[in-house]
């Protein structure tokens, strides 16, 4: 491939990456969204985070069977309680890392 082909390739990749993100933003920038849609959209980050964390917390990685005694789950429960009580991201990360380290040392 020539240099011009690479330029078209990178330009095309940038275009197909940028357009799907920018068009809804430009279209909805000055529109008033219904409250039910705003409420529904606010649930998406929680749903995505749950979908990412649940398999690693509740299942065995090799067999994908439910395993409730995993160290990750045992650490996640007190870390979640700390996060809900303090609302401190840095403290939650430190507590989670400390508890995970202690759990790995004990188990």
């Amino acid at each position: 491939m020539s240099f011009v082909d690479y330029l078209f390739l990178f330009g095309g990749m940038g275009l197909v990456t940028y357009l799907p993100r920018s068009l809804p933003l430009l279209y909805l920038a000055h529109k008033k969204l219904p409250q039910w849609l705003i409420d529904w959209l606010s649930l998406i980050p929680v749903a995505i985070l749950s979908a990412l964390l649940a398999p690693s917390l509740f299942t065995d990685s090799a067999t994908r069977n439910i395993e409730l005694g995993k160290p990750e789950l045992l650490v996640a429960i007190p870390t979640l309680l700390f996060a809900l009580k303090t609302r401190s991201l840095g403290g939650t990360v430190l507590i989670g890392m400390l508890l995970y380290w202690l759990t790995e040392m004990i188990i």
Side-chain angles (χ1 to χ4, degrees), residues 1-15:
M1 288 179 67
S2 69
F3 180 73
V4 175
D5 291 337
Y6 279 113
L7 284 178
F8 280 124
L9 179 67
F10 287 134
M13 289 188 306
L15 192 66

Side-chain angles (χ1 to χ4, degrees), residues 12-99:
M13 289 188 306
L15 192 66
V16 299
T17 300
Y18 181 71
L19 279 178
R21 296 175 186 197
S22 64
L23 288 180
L25 182 65
L26 292 173
Y27 178 72
L28 297 173
H30 302 291
K31 297 213 184 279
K32 176 77 173 138
L33 297 175
Q35 188 60 38
W36 65 267
L37 182 60
I38 294 171
D39 293 340
W40 182 79
L41 289 173
S42 71
L43 298 174
I44 291 176
V46 175
I48 291 172
L49 184 62
S50 300
L52 290 172
L53 288 178
S56 65
L57 290 178
F58 296 115
T59 62
D60 180 28
S61 60
T63 61
R64 289 293 181 202
N65 291 330
I66 292 178
E67 185 180 324
L68 297 178
K70 290 183 65 174
E72 292 87 354
L73 181 60
L74 298 175
V75 168
I77 294 169
T79 304
L80 175 66
L81 294 175
F82 179 83
L84 292 174
K85 182 174 174 65
T86 63
R87 303 281 184 191
S88 168
L89 178 62
T92 301
V93 170
L94 289 176
I95 290 293
M97 290 171 59
L98 177 69
L99 289 174

